[in-house]
């Protein structure tokens, strides 16, 4: 079986706070609307019921799953919806108890009654959700699964993937790290060059360029917004935004008026080890504070872990290489995306399946590999950097307090970013011939660990910090 996963599948622009619990259900609602249109019943619908199961139900309130399905049912696109409109749309649905289905037909919708949080898990995947549309004389039901990183599947489709060999159109179909390394050796190319050839089989060079730069500009803007926003995050935990104060202390009284000027300003600041640690942490905090406040982020590979990759790329741009520009940005994102796709194929990027090792662990591995290539690492060292980063995240649980993507999530991104930089440096100092743990082995170990992990540590908020810390005490 060969599965084609593009860099643009791994790095998606969306809305926080969660790729599996917000972006996925939102996309599922959009797909349900499409089905209703194909069935010619969209205009006849008089009521919609939504059922959330398993992890989507247990942490759905904190992850804004209920809001995401409502927004999806209105036909809004998470990639383009103006963030400032979200609160207004939700408030209007709540107040009027009416929902503009696909933006076309007003139907009665009471979120308390029409979104049902079921505690049971569907057998196929822990993030199941169903929509039922009622017309005057019929009903139509459809079930989806949010499998991490904003990916949504139906059971029959997933089974079809298992049964049939999917024909991959990439010139270099890659299922694991060994295959990727083989291509780099045979073709005498870097990992990013191999990935670029694959992407060119699906898109024009202009489109690859513009979309990668759109992803980077969204990341940069997200860091900028996060560093310039103060206050308390929503949700009831009373978590104070920290990027703002940290950023103020680091940048001082410098003048700038947009994200690019800001980047140039940071390049001129003092960079002793402590400042570097603080800058990297500040970038990661900023992204995840924006994510926690339902802002626009790039899923990389998930929303909960969205801060690691921007923080490490920004580190390279403002600390390591002041000449770095579009070429390096694209190179970094292509390597990161490819490493993420290998984890998705060999294990999972869903915390509901594998705990936080699948989110922060994978994002750290993606960032470590990408940084290693930019710092001159040969392909075997790049893969080693990913391996080192994941090796030291194995077994990490997912236990968000109150089901909110805030504690431990926001801080954890800073740890993932710093580990990624360390992993890249270790790999650059190591002869790959001496490596004892190949990347594919660590991916397999991660998957076995995921399967052994108790359900309470897999995005259910039924174990770990989520039960040790009382919401009321926060
Ligand atoms: S603990 Fe990790 S996996 Fe769980 S929601 Fe937070 S960032 Fe995501």
């Amino acid at each position: 079986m060969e599965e084609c996963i593009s860099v643009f599948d791994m790095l998606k622009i969306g809305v926080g706070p969660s790729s599996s619990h917000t972006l996925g259900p939102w996309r599922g609602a959009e797909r349900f609307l499409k089905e209703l249109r194909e069935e010619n019943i969209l205009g006849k619908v008089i009521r919609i019921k939504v059922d959330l199961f398993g992890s989507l139900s247990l942490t759905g309130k904190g992850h804004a799953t209920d809001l995401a399905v409502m927004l999806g049912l209105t036909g809004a696109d998470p990639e383009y919806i103006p963030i400032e409109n979200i609160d207004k749309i939700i408030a209007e649905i709540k107040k009027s108890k009416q929902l503009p289905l696909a933006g076309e037909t007003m139907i009665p919708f009471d979120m308390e009654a029409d979104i049902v949080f079921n505690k049971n898990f569907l057998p196929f995947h822990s993030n199941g959700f169903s929509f039922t549309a009622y017309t005057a004389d019929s009903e139509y039901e459809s079930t989806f699964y949010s499998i991490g990183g904003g990916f949504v599947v139906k059971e029959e489709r997933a089974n079809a993937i298992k049964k049939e060999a999917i024909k991959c159109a990439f010139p270099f179909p890659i299922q694991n790290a060994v295959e990727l390394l083989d291509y780099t050796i045979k073709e005498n190319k870097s990992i990013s060059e191999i990935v670029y050839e694959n992407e060119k089989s699906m898109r024009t060079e202009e489109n690859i360029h513009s979309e990668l730069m759109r992803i980077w500009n969204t990341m940069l803007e997200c860091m900028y917004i996060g560093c310039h926003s103060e206050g308390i995050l929503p949700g009831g935990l009373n978590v104070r935004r920290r990027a703002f104060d940290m950023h103020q202390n680091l940048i001082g009284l410098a003048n700038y008026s947009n994200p690019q000027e800001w980047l140039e300003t940071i390049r001129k600041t003092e960079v002793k080890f402590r400042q570097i640690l603080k800058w990297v942490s500040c970038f990661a905090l900023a992204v995840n504070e924006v994510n926690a406040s339902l802002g626009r982020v790039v899923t990389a590979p998930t929303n909960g872990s969205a801060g690691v990759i921007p923080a490490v790329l920004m580190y390279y741009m403002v600390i390591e290489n002041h000449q770095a520009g579009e070429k390096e940005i694209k190179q970094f994102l292509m390597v990161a995306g490819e490493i993420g796709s290998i984890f998705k194929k060999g294990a999972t990027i869903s915390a509901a399946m594998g705990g936080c090792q699948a989110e922060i662990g994978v994002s750290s591995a993606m960032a470590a590999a990408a940084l290693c290539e930019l710092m001159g690492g040969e392909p075997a060292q790049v893969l080693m950097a990913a391996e080192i980063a994941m090796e030291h995240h194995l077994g990490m649980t997912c236990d968000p307090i109150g089901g909110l993507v805030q504690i431990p999530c926001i801080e954890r991104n800073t740890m993932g970013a710093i580990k990624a930089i360390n992993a890249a440096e270790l790999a650059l100092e190591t002869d790959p011939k001496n490596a004892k743990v190949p990347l594919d082995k660590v991916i397999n170990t991660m998957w076995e660990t995921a399967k052994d992990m108790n359900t309470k540590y897999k995005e259910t908020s039924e174990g770990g910090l989520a039960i040790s810390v009382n919401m009321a005490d926060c």
Side-chain angles (χ1 to χ4, degrees), residues 66-139:
D66 45 357
L67 309 188
V69 289
M70 289 197 287
L71 289 161
L73 288 172
T74 69
D77 186 331
E79 197 171 334
Y80 295 102
I81 183 174
I83 295 298
E84 61 278 11
N85 288 0
I86 289 180
D87 283 350
K88 280 185 257 168
I89 296 171
I90 297 295
E92 188 51 37
I93 296 172
K94 280 185 188 169
K95 187 167 150 238
S96 67
K97 293 199 181 343
Q98 299 256 311
L99 184 144
L101 191 65
E104 295 169 13
T105 320
M106 273 299 182
I107 58 164
F109 193 86
D110 177 354
M111 67 180 285
E112 300 303 330
D114 292 327
I115 302 179
V116 183
F117 289 79
N118 302 279
K119 289 258 158 103
N120 60 309
F121 285 68
L122 297 184
F124 176 68
H125 191 282
S126 33
N127 284 338
F129 57 112
S130 297
F131 298 92
T132 311
Y134 300 89
T135 67
D137 52 10
S138 68
E139 63 180 67

Side-chain angles (χ1 to χ4, degrees), residues 63 304 351 355-356 359-360 397-400 405 408-409 412 459:
H63 286 52
C356 202
E359 291 205 12
I360 299 288
T397 61
C398 170
D399 51 357
V405 193
C409 321
R412 202 167 268 182
E459 213 169 8

Side-chain angles (χ1 to χ4, degrees), residues 18 63 288 302-305 351 355-360 396-400 404-410 412-413 459:
S18 167
H63 286 52
N288 288 85
T302 66
N303 282 21
S305 59
C356 202
Q357 57 175 355
E359 291 205 12
I360 299 288
M396 187 181 272
T397 61
C398 170
D399 51 357
L404 294 158
V405 193
Q406 297 182 12
I407 307 172
C409 321
I410 298 174
R412 202 167 268 182
N413 278 263
E459 213 169 8

